[in-house]
Amino acid sequence: MIRMMARYFTLALAILALGLPCLLHAERPPIKISADLSEAPRKLYHAEVDIPVEPGPISLITPKWIPGEHRPTGPVEDITGVVFSVDGPNGHQVLPWRRDNVEMYEYHVTVPAGVTMLHAHLDCIVTERVTQKMAVLEWQKLLLYPADIPVKDIPIQPSVTVPAGWGIGTALTPIGTGGPAVPETGVEEADHETTPGATTTHYAATTVEQLEDSPVITGQYFHEFALAPEITPKHYIDVVSDEPGDSNLRPQLLAEISNLVRETGAAYDSRHYHVYHFLLTLSDVAGGEGLEHGQSSDNGVGEKAFASQSNQLLDSDLLAHEFTHSWHGKYRRPSRLYEPTFETPEKTNLEKVYEGMTQYLGNVLAARSGLKSQADYRGLLAMSAAQMAYKSGRDWRSTEDTAIAASVLREASPEWANWRRGQDYYQEGELVWLDADTLIRQKTRDKKSLTDFLHIFLGKGGNTGPLIVPYEFPEIVADLNQVLPYDWATFFHDRIDNLNPKADLDGIERGGYKLVYTNKQSATEKAVYNSPVYKRYRGAGDVWYSLGLRINSTGTISDVRWGGPADDARLHPGQKILAVDGIVFSADALQAAIKKARDSSEPIHFILQADTFVTLADINYHGGEKYPSLVRVEGTPDYLDDITKPLTKPDPASLKSDTTGDED
């Protein structure tokens, strides 16, 4: 009880601290930043930044370690045209500056006597998340502020200029003009300035920490939709697309996202924002994204990714995953992922808890909300679990190490990825948290579940505004023990910290199912392979569990499963398959060869090209096609379906589903 009271006392102090930044910088005038995206179609952003200063040397910096990206991704190499100037006793002066010798993100300037305001101009060459019709502003592209001051203590007031006629979506609060409330948002009409070819919107002052956490999307084809109108605070989805009709989302999809808003309330028993905006870009050019923020999420998918229920299957958990991060990742954040400045390196060892739990909950909530069916949840879980079961690198690298090494694994190449391992803490963590959920249900005879833990862990403090309450692993253990007394520390240590040659399938089996491999794709897997995204990147289908190959649409091998049949035949990533069994390579030719070899002792013959050389290889495989699937174990509790049942009453509009249905 004393320990519990101490934890709640600490939490209370943290909540009280929500108001402290305002007190700490109450006398400090805010930085003013004017972001200009009017040249976004030219892949250029501009900023004018006015920084209150005192005479003498000053060090200014741009963000380096971006929260949620878990590595130093600040685009310092794309920031250009940097000019510092002042208007002082000697008139207008352009000041010399020097980059720091060690910290490349830092600029040193000397402010002349009698000067209290430093002006900075900077430009950014934008290489992604922008097209002729839309743009995404992640503030690290234009932010500049004093170094070595906690970013939560630096006040800043932003404005954003966009091409005329483009709409804007953001969680930032527009400054009202005293005019009537805008019906869609319920806030006063925003303070807009219109100049030829551009429109500027002014926003209320915030902090550098919160501004970095508040991206902006803008585009010619923009729609904003209110979600779950009965829920407080308000929720919206802001959408931009490259094609005129795509941003006008389907009513069924909007009903499913409204269900998601309701389901998070039931699952987490709290909300930690003043308003929430799902920001969604639909483009085949701008690139994909999934990044959490406290009061919004930045979600980027293909142009037609949400055009139908079957199209959305691959991205069905995206909105739920990033929304969940508002609770876990923003409100509750591993202590060593929360640093006072954006130049301080993050320590990612607790990614195993942070992203693993969110991966699990994102998929569960997507099923509860109707973004995917229960059958598709099981089908996708089978595919994910099989990937982990056939991950050769688990023989030498623990899941914990994939979390510690997140910053170097996040952009690793696909070659020998199964042996190297990647960000497996997502999918491995999902399996572990499913294991924990089913264990709680089993041992409490269905009286408790992981939801009871979530109410404790994510609901502490009740509803709050955007707030960060850090945690360490012992708190996870203590809160789980309130739900089910158990040796949770050992539970996670054995499954995550230790080497495990086998994936954790206990949650699936305790949940009433078994992972098997058949010669026929499940309906879910078939839908995935027929999706435009999959065809674009892996046109040869799935031969990973048979031959041990990943092959892209051109026939080039991207990965070889270490210890698999193709590895035994000495194939390697980078080779291009020219022919299979004497027939020019195609996905159909490869599939036919695998079927033929099942009833023959003859190996499968390959003609391969690597660099400028052509070689021959034989794969001695006769096991036929192998595709993962979950099959029901009769006579056992069906926890998987129990877990994915809605906790709230779903919107009737979301029930008219054309989902892929049960597995074949």
Side-chain angles (χ1 to χ4, degrees):
M1 178 62 72
I2 293 175
R3 279 196 303 245
M4 187 185 303
M5 293 176 62
R7 285 208 312 277
Y8 276 87
F9 179 70
T10 301
L11 181 69
L13 290 177
I15 293 172
L16 288 173
L18 179 63
L20 288 182
C22 299
L23 297 174
L24 290 171
H25 58 65
E27 302 302 322
R28 191 199 305 268
I31 297 171
K32 292 190 176 181
I33 179 169
S34 301
D36 183 357
L37 311 188
S38 60
E39 288 199 294
R42 296 184 65 209
K43 311 296 191 288
L44 294 173
Y45 294 172
H46 313 286
E48 308 296 334
V49 188
D50 292 300
I51 305 168
V53 293
E54 296 179 356
I58 186 172
S59 296
L60 303 166
I61 198 163
T62 63
K64 182 177 182 179
W65 283 80
I66 310 304
E69 296 195 359
H70 317 312
R71 58 196 180 97
T73 56
V76 66
E77 70 277 9
D78 293 325
I79 293 175
T80 185
V82 179
V83 178
F84 294 101
S85 62
V86 296
D87 290 308
N90 297 321
H92 184 75
Q93 292 179 263
V94 174
L95 303 180
W97 58 268
R98 187 175 186 277
R99 191 181 303 274
D100 190 85
N101 287 336
V102 176
E103 182 52 83
M104 297 293 114
Y105 291 72
E106 192 167 327
Y107 303 83
H108 301 299
V109 183
T110 299
V111 179
V115 170
T116 59
M117 188 69 68
L118 174 66
H119 181 78
H121 171 89
L122 61 146
D123 309 303
C124 187
I125 301 165
V126 186
T127 55
E128 56 186 13
R129 307 301 311 287
V130 63
T131 75
Q132 298 299 299
K133 300 296 182 180
M134 71 169 70
V136 178
L137 173 59
E138 296 155 327
W139 284 96
Q140 63 265 25
K141 290 179 169 61
L142 296 174
L143 262 176
L144 188 69
Y145 51 90
D148 301 322
I149 298 176
V151 289
K152 66 181 178 63
D153 296 337
I154 305 175
I156 189 166
Q157 184 161 19
S159 65
V160 179
T161 299
V162 302
W166 284 28
I168 295 181
T170 180
L172 292 169
T173 303
I175 296 177
T177 60
V182 179
E184 284 187 322
T185 63
V187 300
E188 289 185 343
E189 187 176 0
D191 182 5
H192 293 303
E193 296 175 12
T194 302
T195 58
T199 301
T200 300
T201 304
H202 299 271
Y203 295 95
T206 181
T207 64
V208 167
E209 179 178 75
Q210 286 298 313
L211 184 62
E212 173 59 38
D213 202 37
S214 304
V216 175
I217 65 169
T218 179
Q220 181 176 347
Y221 307 121
F222 172 87
H223 281 86
E224 180 177 84
F225 303 92
L227 302 167
E230 77 281 7
I231 301 293
T232 302
K234 297 299 183 182
H235 298 75
Y236 305 92
I237 183 164
D238 302 327
V239 192
V240 292
S241 60
D242 281 337
E243 298 295 331
D246 290 321
S247 57
N248 191 14
L249 299 181
R250 296 175 293 120
Q252 181 182 339
L253 176 60
L254 292 173
E256 291 162 357
I257 302 170
S258 289
N259 286 344
L260 174 60
V261 172
R262 300 180 183 102
E263 287 294 326
T264 52
Y268 307 146
D269 196 33
S270 59
R271 300 194 187 274
H272 306 291
Y273 41 81
H274 297 310
V275 66
Y276 194 89
H277 287 255
F278 296 91
L279 307 179
L280 178 62
T281 59
L282 300 171
S283 172
D284 291 336
V285 179
E289 182 61 285
L291 187 60
E292 66 266 25
H293 298 279
Q295 301 197 114
S296 62
S297 55
D298 181 4
N299 309 279
V301 296
E303 184 73 34
K304 304 297 182 182
F306 284 104
S308 69
Q309 201 77 13
S310 57
N311 276 21
Q312 78 188 38
L313 183 57
L314 267 178
D315 296 300
S316 57
D317 71 314
L318 175 62
L319 299 179
H321 181 107
E322 303 305 339
F323 191 23
T324 291
H325 272 316
S326 179
W327 287 263
H328 194 193
K330 289 300 176 178
Y331 175 60
R332 303 308 316 270
R333 189 181 304 178
S335 299
R336 283 162 283 182
L337 281 178
Y338 183 41
E339 299 292 348
T341 68
F342 294 140
E343 58 263 34
T344 308
E346 298 174 356
K347 290 81 173 176
T348 56
N349 63 306
L350 278 182
E351 292 274 25
K352 60 190 181 186
V353 171
Y354 161 36
E355 290 290 9
M357 183 193 296
T358 307
Q359 183 76 3
Y360 174 60
L361 296 173
N363 280 304
V364 167
L365 283 167
R368 289 177 183 171
S369 306
L371 287 160
K372 59 183 167 191
S373 68
Q374 289 183 308
D376 284 331
Y377 169 83
R378 295 192 302 271
L380 291 168
L381 178 62
M383 295 171 67
S384 178
Q387 288 178 27
M388 295 301 100
Y390 273 69
K391 185 74 69 164
S392 305
R394 63 188 315 120
D395 289 339
W396 73 273
R397 187 176 218 156
S398 69
T399 297
E400 181 188 42
D401 190 62
T402 70
I404 293 172
S407 64
V408 296
L409 291 174
R410 184 153 277 217
E411 291 296 319
S413 66
E415 290 83 4
W416 298 112
N418 77 103
W419 184 232
R420 179 193 301 113
R421 299 197 75 174
Q423 298 177 87
D424 292 352
Y425 51 86
Y426 282 89
Q427 292 167 286
E428 294 273 13
E430 178 181 19
L431 293 175
V432 170
W433 282 103
L434 173 60
D435 190 351
D437 197 350
T438 56
L439 184 67
I440 293 170
R441 291 168 186 264
Q442 181 190 67
K443 288 191 172 294
T444 64
R445 300 180 183 273
D446 290 328
K447 294 178 181 178
K448 297 287 183 69
S449 71
L450 194 68
T451 301
D452 296 279
F453 160 77
L454 298 173
H455 286 184
I456 298 169
F457 179 60
L458 301 179
K460 288 175 183 172
N463 297 329
T464 72
L467 176 65
I468 300 170
V469 181
Y471 70 87
E472 288 287 355
F473 182 65
E475 185 180 346
I476 295 280
V477 172
D479 289 352
L480 281 167
N481 273 316
Q482 289 189 55
V483 178
L484 172 67
Y486 193 74
D487 188 357
W488 291 106
T490 300
F491 174 91
F492 286 102
H493 177 74
D494 289 347
R495 290 159 177 77
I496 295 179
D497 301 343
N498 287 344
L499 288 179
N500 281 295
K502 295 183 179 180
D504 181 8
L505 304 181
D506 289 353
I508 291 174
E509 294 173 2
R510 196 181 294 113
Y513 288 82
K514 185 177 181 180
L515 178 64
V516 300
Y517 299 86
T518 69
N519 61 4
K520 191 177 182 181
Q521 290 178 330
S522 70
T524 302
E525 189 171 16
K526 195 176 297 182
V528 167
Y529 290 151
N530 287 331
S531 69
V533 173
Y534 192 94
K535 285 182 176 179
R536 188 183 309 166
Y537 293 106
R538 286 190 198 150
D542 187 359
V543 295
W544 186 247
Y545 307 106
S546 54
L547 300 183
L549 289 172
R550 295 202 192 281
I551 307 166
N552 67 20
S553 57
T554 68
T556 300
I557 299 170
S558 60
D559 198 8
V560 175
R561 176 159 54 84
W562 187 269
D567 180 36
D568 291 341
R570 314 307 292 170
L571 273 67
H572 63 82
Q575 287 180 307
K576 184 174 183 178
I577 304 174
L578 301 179
V580 183
D581 281 351
I583 299 174
V584 173
F585 171 79
S586 68
D588 290 340
L590 182 60
Q591 187 178 44
I594 294 172
K595 289 180 179 179
K596 177 183 174 183
R598 182 180 57 193
D599 301 317
S600 169
S601 60
E602 186 77 8
I604 304 173
H605 305 291
F606 287 81
I607 301 176
L608 304 150
Q609 178 185 346
D611 305 322
T612 58
F613 304 97
V614 175
T615 58
L616 304 177
D618 291 341
I619 298 182
N620 193 24
Y621 174 76
H622 306 281
E625 297 175 280
K626 292 182 68 174
Y627 302 105
S629 182
L630 296 188
V631 296
R632 181 79 174 94
V633 179
E634 297 302 328
T636 61
D638 189 354
Y639 285 141
L640 291 193
D641 274 3
D642 289 345
I643 287 168
T644 52
K645 286 177 182 175
L647 300 181
T648 64
K649 186 176 180 180
D651 188 322
S654 69
L655 302 178
K656 299 174 183 178
S657 175
D658 58 341
T659 50
T660 59
D662 277 306
E663 293 84 351
D664 290 345

